[in-house]
Amino acid sequence: LCVGGGMGTSHGEAATYPRLADLIGYLPADQLLAVAEAGLTIPRDFGDRSNRKHARLKYTLDSHGLDWFRAELAKRLGAPLAPAQDFEFSARGDHFGWQQTPDGRSWLTLRTEGGRLRDPGDIQARRGLRLAAERFDLRFRITPNQNLSLIDIAAADRPALEALLREHGLLRSQDWTPLRRDALACVALPLCPLAMAEAERWLPDFVPRVEALLTQHGLEGEPLSLRITGCPNGCARPYLAEISLIGKAPGLYNLLLGGDLVGQRLNALYRESLDERAILAELDALFGRWATQRLPAEGFGDFVRRLELVRGHSPHPPTLLESAA
């Protein structure tokens, strides 16, 4: 069980901040609902109910302490949680391409850039998926990374389904760079009333420019997480990326660096209020240093942290840095 993670924050309000979750114990599956209910009622009873921006479990934890939360949870459950078991995250994101289940059926995850299904010319996503739904016995599942999985596919249907998807350009994303394949953006303008800048509509234009810089420095094909949001509320989980752009005003973004590839480290503010030209100039210089000064197989976020190009977890209050780390 992990508690207290949250991405939302507000520009200029130090009392709001992103926070990594804390690992507090292990529960068997049959305790899931009881633990979930107890965990939800604690911030209900002890959280800040007067300020919507501060009504989050992460703030309740930071004001009362993790040991207090463990004790309160144990009181409501009638017993403490078992100690956490060992685990390791080695990657995050979706597995693209064909995967097979033990019963012989298959599933296929498709990249949907920015989470948007459209027919923008040579990739006819909406038409292709509509035909797939009509012709084959399968189901659709949305992933947390804005992608779409076609599941429960019979082995006999795979060749015809793959041909249909290829005809409509839906398999081209399997050849994209890791940067483009894994980049995330929130909805932003024009659909979100909180958005201060573009995100989803800008992503397809911006990513190729970053790819060109990586190629220029001999870094093409390197895994690199990029996330863009139109405001600091964090809907695309930008504070966990190696490179994040968070909207401040139309065409202006804060540039944050230093997350990791598996989502277990917050990034930090590097530059404020940059337009696209300035962002690309900063990334050009940073990629040049990464290409020439990196350790073997060192990721960009780890490189940024090792050279202390950013410090801390912005905009985390200094008193929380040690506990977050």
Side-chain angles (χ1 to χ4, degrees), residues 2-5 19 39-40 42-44 47-49 54-64 68-69:
C2 296
V3 296
R19 187 187 191 280
L40 288 170
I42 292 174
R44 178 200 65 188
D48 184 355
R49 312 314 302 170
H54 212 247
R56 289 289 185 270
L57 176 57
K58 59 183 177 180
Y59 303 126
T60 307
L61 282 172
D62 289 340
S63 61
H64 288 73
W68 168 87
F69 182 87

Side-chain angles (χ1 to χ4, degrees), residues 17-223:
Y17 45 84
R19 187 187 191 280
L20 293 175
D22 288 292
L23 181 65
I24 67 166
Y26 174 83
L27 62 145
D30 60 4
Q31 289 186 0
L32 179 60
L33 291 179
V35 172
E37 181 178 0
L40 288 170
T41 58
I42 292 174
R44 178 200 65 188
D45 296 341
F46 294 96
D48 184 355
R49 312 314 302 170
S50 62
N51 181 355
R52 182 175 181 271
K53 291 185 177 181
H54 212 247
R56 289 289 185 270
L57 176 57
K58 59 183 177 180
Y59 303 126
T60 307
L61 282 172
D62 289 340
S63 61
H64 288 73
L66 202 60
D67 289 338
W68 168 87
F69 182 87
R70 286 194 182 96
E72 185 65 29
L73 185 66
K75 182 169 65 176
R76 297 181 184 220
L77 292 173
L81 293 178
Q85 299 187 8
D86 292 336
F87 72 97
E88 180 182 2
F89 287 122
S90 59
R92 65 175 166 182
D94 297 323
H95 295 287
F96 296 98
W98 287 103
Q99 311 288 329
Q100 191 163 344
T101 60
D103 64 1
R105 299 182 75 84
S106 300
W107 84 89
L108 176 67
T109 298
L110 303 174
R111 175 62 177 154
T112 56
E113 195 167 33
R116 180 72 62 174
L117 294 177
R118 48 191 153 203
D119 292 346
D122 55 348
I123 299 179
Q124 302 289 314
R126 295 176 66 184
R127 173 175 169 76
L129 291 170
R130 186 184 304 115
L131 291 173
E134 292 171 354
R135 296 179 185 178
F136 301 97
D137 180 19
L138 52 78
R139 294 187 293 148
F140 295 94
R141 181 172 293 164
I142 300 169
T143 81
N145 297 295
Q146 300 178 336
N147 296 316
L148 193 66
S149 292
L150 284 60
I151 66 173
D152 288 341
I153 301 167
D157 290 335
R158 276 184 56 165
L161 175 60
E162 182 167 345
L164 172 66
L165 298 174
R166 193 174 302 280
E167 176 187 352
H168 290 82
L170 283 160
L171 299 183
R172 293 184 183 180
S173 60
Q174 295 183 17
D175 298 323
W176 288 356
T177 65
L179 172 74
R180 185 177 180 187
R181 190 182 60 228
D182 297 329
L184 298 181
C186 72
V187 173
L189 298 173
L191 299 177
C192 178
L194 300 177
M196 305 173 187
E198 293 282 357
E200 177 208 315
R201 295 193 298 186
W202 182 42
L203 182 73
D205 295 327
F206 180 69
V207 167
R209 292 164 190 151
V210 179
E211 287 178 320
L213 294 178
L214 291 170
T215 300
Q216 176 183 321
H217 293 287
L219 297 166
E220 62 274 12
E222 288 287 340

